[in-house]
Amino acid sequence: MIRLSAQPMTWVAAGDSITQAVLHTHGARGWVEHLQERIRWELDRLTDIIVNSGVSGWRAVDVLGSYDHLIGRFAPDVLSLSLGTNDARAGLAGLPEFRDAMRRIIDRSGAQTQTVLHTPVLVSVAGREARGELPAYAQAVREIAEETGALLVDHEAHWRAHFGDADPISWLDDPAHPNAAGHLQMAEHTLRALGLGPMSPRY
């Protein structure tokens, strides 16, 4: 559960296109925007600042390489890391690099930062050819969270609980990117996992 301060807090969401929420919501809010509505308005934390520094196509090593620009200069109280979907294209051979980059991002953020790690969402049946090892990356995120004490938001488990072995295409806009419904699911699950939900019924 996130520890809320009486003082204004800074939240940074770093990740890839799913965090950036480009194109695939077709004008609807992305999951970080839903979090902002919940935190800054519904929870009456009007002076909290939420920064979305997601970059389409990026991997953990890319975020690490631009740490100061994407994360460090904001000195976040809360750092959300949602990566793995692009990293998984490297298959099992890419796992050591992914693990190392994730750990180094967390280490650079320091103990004063509350870190939140997200497992990647499911891809469609059509998307599994390019990202067949995505479950291994989700498991790596779980293990890193356990090792570092980071909070875990397990989207993969949430999506599997809903879809089982069925194709999750109703929450996707293409084989790998959530649509508006998928982003809303991500937001709701994140807020529940962090002890900040539920969202207003109007959603």
Side-chain angles (χ1 to χ4, degrees):
M1 181 177 294
I2 285 290
R3 300 183 305 276
L4 295 176
S5 170
Q7 301 302 312
M9 295 171 64
T10 299
W11 310 61
V12 172
D16 51 32
S17 59
I18 297 174
T19 295
Q20 191 175 7
V22 293
L23 181 63
H24 297 284
T25 64
H26 299 281
R29 284 176 168 170
W31 70 269
V32 178
E33 292 173 295
H34 286 301
L35 260 64
Q36 177 168 258
E37 176 77 3
R38 174 64 180 165
I39 294 166
R40 297 189 70 195
W41 180 249
E42 293 183 2
L43 297 182
D44 197 30
R45 300 187 61 84
L46 301 180
T47 54
D48 277 19
I49 300 298
I50 299 177
V51 178
N52 184 338
S53 67
V55 182
S56 179
W58 275 25
R59 302 168 297 146
V61 292
D62 301 310
V63 174
L64 176 62
S66 292
Y67 176 89
D68 288 334
H69 179 67
L70 298 179
I71 300 168
R73 62 184 172 134
F74 302 112
D77 299 289
V78 179
L79 171 62
S80 163
L81 285 175
S82 181
L83 292 158
T85 300
N86 296 315
D87 307 78
R89 286 181 167 273
L92 294 178
L95 270 173
E97 181 180 59
F98 174 73
R99 286 178 175 273
D100 179 67
M102 293 289 283
R103 289 295 302 265
R104 290 172 66 186
I105 293 168
I106 295 167
D107 288 346
R108 287 192 66 174
S109 299
Q112 75 282 358
T113 301
Q114 299 181 71
T115 302
V116 181
L117 301 184
H118 302 253
T119 59
V121 301
L122 297 181
V123 295
S124 72
V125 171
R128 292 171 195 168
E129 181 176 354
R131 296 176 170 88
E133 300 300 338
L134 192 59
Y137 283 78
Q139 182 58 30
V141 172
R142 296 184 189 102
E143 292 169 1
I144 295 166
E146 178 68 23
E147 293 161 5
T148 63
L151 295 169
L152 177 67
V153 181
D154 198 339
H155 297 290
E156 188 202 50
H158 174 60
W159 286 44
R160 286 197 184 282
H162 182 82
F163 289 102
D165 294 328
D167 196 341
I169 198 65
S170 63
W171 287 0
L172 295 169
D173 187 57
D174 72 0
H177 294 87
N179 57 19
H183 274 272
L184 183 56
Q185 287 292 330
M186 290 184 69
E188 290 178 335
H189 186 60
T190 298
L191 289 166
R192 287 195 298 269
L194 300 185
L196 301 176
M199 294 171 67
S200 167
R202 70 177 179 275
Y203 288 93

